[in-house]
Amino acid sequence: MSETANHIDKPVAGKCLCGSVSIIMREAHREVDVCHCTMCQSWTGSMYAGIEADDFMIEGEEHITAYQSSKWAERAFCSKCGSHLWFKFLPTGARTFLAGLFDLPKGMPIKHQIFVDEKPDWFDIAQESPMKTGPEIIAEAEAAGFNFD
């Protein structure tokens, strides 16, 4: 699979563990977002690694359950097998899909690691990447006009 500078140039298909939900990402971003917040830790057992796409198609929506985990976020999973599917930022509708659902090309860089101040000390990611604390990420979002009250 070849890539352009910022996007994977071919559609990338993924599915949940049982195959009831499938997602095809077109123009998937060529980087992975990593979140270490305590909510992502509770949701995944460690960290959340997600990938964005400018366009996507979802099949099996009748098997998807979405949970609003905060005033600004929704997390979705397959109601049959429990596979995590995506994180959705409600103010914009932007989603990141669980990177592990897809057969991604080798060498995918990490865009950034966020909420590193909440990361447990029992693991580290070897790849060098920008690291931002929770207060830094919240300040950036607020500067962009988002309100978390």
Side-chain angles (χ1 to χ4, degrees):
M1 183 178 297
S2 61
E3 301 97 37
T4 62
N6 298 318
H7 295 87
I8 301 169
D9 68 355
K10 295 184 180 182
V12 181
K15 61 183 179 180
C16 65
L17 187 61
C18 71
S20 294
V21 178
S22 62
I23 301 166
I24 297 174
M25 295 187 300
R26 295 179 286 265
E27 297 185 38
H29 293 202
R30 197 187 159 340
E31 56 195 3
V32 176
D33 290 317
V34 174
C35 183
H36 297 287
C37 79
T38 55
M39 277 196 266
C40 282
Q41 289 176 49
S42 292
W43 188 41
T44 66
S46 61
M47 62 170 191
Y48 176 76
I51 184 168
E52 295 178 71
D54 293 339
D55 187 28
F56 57 87
M57 183 179 74
I58 299 170
E59 292 182 3
E61 292 188 46
E62 68 274 16
H63 302 293
I64 297 172
T65 298
Y67 170 69
Q68 187 170 340
S69 56
S70 67
K71 291 180 183 178
W72 64 87
E74 170 189 280
R75 298 159 195 267
F77 61 93
C78 172
S79 60
K80 289 183 79 175
C81 67
S83 292
H84 304 145
L85 301 170
W86 67 72
F87 171 91
K88 182 177 182 182
F89 186 57
L90 295 173
T92 64
R95 301 179 206 212
T96 60
F97 296 98
L98 187 74
L101 299 173
F102 305 93
D103 184 18
L104 298 172
K106 293 192 182 298
M108 292 281 289
I110 295 173
K111 177 181 179 180
H112 55 205
Q113 296 182 57
I114 61 173
F115 290 91
V116 295
D117 52 321
E118 297 179 23
K119 182 184 84 57
D121 62 2
W122 48 263
F123 81 89
D124 289 306
I125 294 176
Q127 188 181 114
E128 292 287 325
S129 58
M131 299 176 81
K132 300 176 183 178
T133 65
E136 289 170 331
I137 276 297
I138 297 296
E140 285 180 12
E142 288 174 339
F146 298 106
N147 184 345
F148 298 97
D149 292 332

